[in-house]
Every structure is written in C-alpha cells, then in structure tokens.
C-alpha cells in the first residue's frame, strides 16, 4: 500500500499472473482501497503479519449503485483452489449510508470458486457480508456444480442475512458476530432446488 512492493495494487499483481494461475501474492500490511477479481486458479493471497486487522482490502460498493447484490463485492473469487491468510476483507458502505433501503446490500466477499480456503481472516460488513455460492445452479437442477469453501480461525461480522448462498461451507473455530441492528439474521440459505446439496 505504501508503494514499496512490486505492484501498486493487489489487482495489478493478480493481473500479472498467467491465465493458468498457480501463484502466491504476498501482501504487505496496509489499507488497500480497491475491488479485487480473482478469476485464475490456485492463487494464494497472504499477509506475513499474523494480525489480519493490519492488512485490509476494503471498498464501499452497494447493490443499488452497482447493478445488484452480487455486483457489490469488494473481493470476488470465482476461480478454484483459492487460499487467503491473515487478511481483512471489508465493505464499509453501510458506515456512511443507511441500511435496509432499496439497494443497501454490500458484500465484503463473494466466493463461487470450489475448494476455497480462508485462514485467520476477517470478513466485515453489515447487510449481506459474505456470499458463498455454487455455479450454474438453476431450479431444474441440471449441471449444478456445488462449490465448497472452508473458513478456520476467522471472524465474520454483519447483521442482515450476512452469510448466504448455496455453497457447501464449513466454519471451524470461527467467531460469527451480529453487529448492532434493530433485528438481525445470521444466515439465509439459497437452494435453487430442494435436493441441492
């Protein structure tokens, strides 16, 4: 973030990786105000500082201003075999805008890649903080590819449907925190058909 690295932004480092993926990006502590799209497989995003609050990727996109909830994420992981460690993913839109009006959903992290692993991360937002989705799932159940995601020793905060989607996700030794609000809902499942796993 201070300009001393090989790239001036995390997204620039991701863009420099060949289409086949297979790379580790070391992110120095700092605040990175940007939107990330990770569409190459086998990418690792790591901070050497074990305190995830020291390495923050943040933006303030909302559903209303960006064409829907799934277009509001600060970080979008659509490729398989992603790994992140010691990083905060945050959407701070609701700090300066009222919640629960049309389009106030604001994702910190969207993951549709399979076998995504997150260790010692923080995922911060309010309404719709974390979307964990599968791919190509429709009501007819044809060609649905269930994605799997795993979180360990992590902290996830929000207040309205803040963990949602239709992926198969596991949370091990995680803190799931409901931020203050008139009412709150931790999760909202989104099956496209009754037998979807």
């Amino acid at each position: 973030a201070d300009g001393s690295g090989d790239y001036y932004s995390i997204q620039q480092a991701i863009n420099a990786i060949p289409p086949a993926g297979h790379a580790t990006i070391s992110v120095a502590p700092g605040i990175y105000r940007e939107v990330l799209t990770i569409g190459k497989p086998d990418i690792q995003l790591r901070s050497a500082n074990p305190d995830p609050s020291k390495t923050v990727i943040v933006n303030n996109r909302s559903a209303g201003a960006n064409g829907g909830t799934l277009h509001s994420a600060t970080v979008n992981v659509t490729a398989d075999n992603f790994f992140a460690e010691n990083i905060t993913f945050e959407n701070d839109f609701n700090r300066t805008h009222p919640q629960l009006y049309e389009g106030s959903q604001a994702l910190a992290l969207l993951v549709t890649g399979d076998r995504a692993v997150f260790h010692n991360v923080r995922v911060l937002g309010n309404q719709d903080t974390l979307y964990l989705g599968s791919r190509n799932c429709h009501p007819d159940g044809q060609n649905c590819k269930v994605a799997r995601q795993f979180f360990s020793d992590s902290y996830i905060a929000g207040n309205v449907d803040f963990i949602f989607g239709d992926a198969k996700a596991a949370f091990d030794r995680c803190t799931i925190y409901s931020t203050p609000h008139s009412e709150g809902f931790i999760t909202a499942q989104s099956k496209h058909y009754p037998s979807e796993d």
Side-chain angles (χ1 to χ4, degrees), residues 3 10 18 44 47 71 78 92 96-97 107 116 128 139-140 146-147 158 170 177 193:
I10 300 170
Q44 295 190 16
S47 173
H71 300 286
T78 59
D92 62 1
T96 56
H97 297 79
L107 292 169
D128 295 357
D140 64 7
V146 176
Y177 179 73
Y193 54 94

Side-chain angles (χ1 to χ4, degrees), residues 106-125:
L107 292 169
L109 177 61
L110 176 148
V111 186
T112 57
D114 191 26
R115 297 180 305 273
V117 176
F118 298 83
H119 176 72
N120 193 37
V121 301
R122 298 188 316 153
V123 186
L124 309 179

Side-chain angles (χ1 to χ4, degrees), residues 83-165:
F83 179 81
E85 184 174 48
N86 304 338
I87 294 175
T88 293
F89 304 101
E90 181 176 8
N91 191 320
D92 62 1
F93 175 80
N94 291 133
R95 283 191 196 164
T96 56
H97 297 79
Q99 291 182 63
L100 293 181
Y101 73 87
E102 185 83 24
S104 66
Q105 299 89 341
L107 292 169
L109 177 61
L110 176 148
V111 186
T112 57
D114 191 26
R115 297 180 305 273
V117 176
F118 298 83
H119 176 72
N120 193 37
V121 301
R122 298 188 316 153
V123 186
L124 309 179
N126 282 300
Q127 185 176 359
D128 295 357
T129 303
L130 175 60
Y131 176 76
L132 301 171
S134 292
R135 292 183 291 218
N136 200 41
C137 294
H138 304 285
D140 64 7
Q142 299 296 312
N143 302 315
C144 182
K145 299 193 184 322
V146 176
R148 298 160 291 177
Q149 293 105 23
F150 182 72
F151 290 77
S152 62
D153 299 298
S154 295
Y155 179 90
I156 301 154
N159 53 38
V160 177
D161 301 340
F162 66 96
I163 300 173
F164 70 111

Side-chain angles (χ1 to χ4, degrees), residues 13 30 34 39 46 52 57 66 80 99 101 115 118 120 124 138 149 174 185-186 194 197:
E34 58 181 302
R46 297 174 178 259
I57 304 167
N66 290 279
D80 294 342
Q99 291 182 63
Y101 73 87
R115 297 180 305 273
F118 298 83
N120 193 37
L124 309 179
H138 304 285
Q149 293 105 23
C174 292
F185 306 93
I186 292 173
D197 187 12

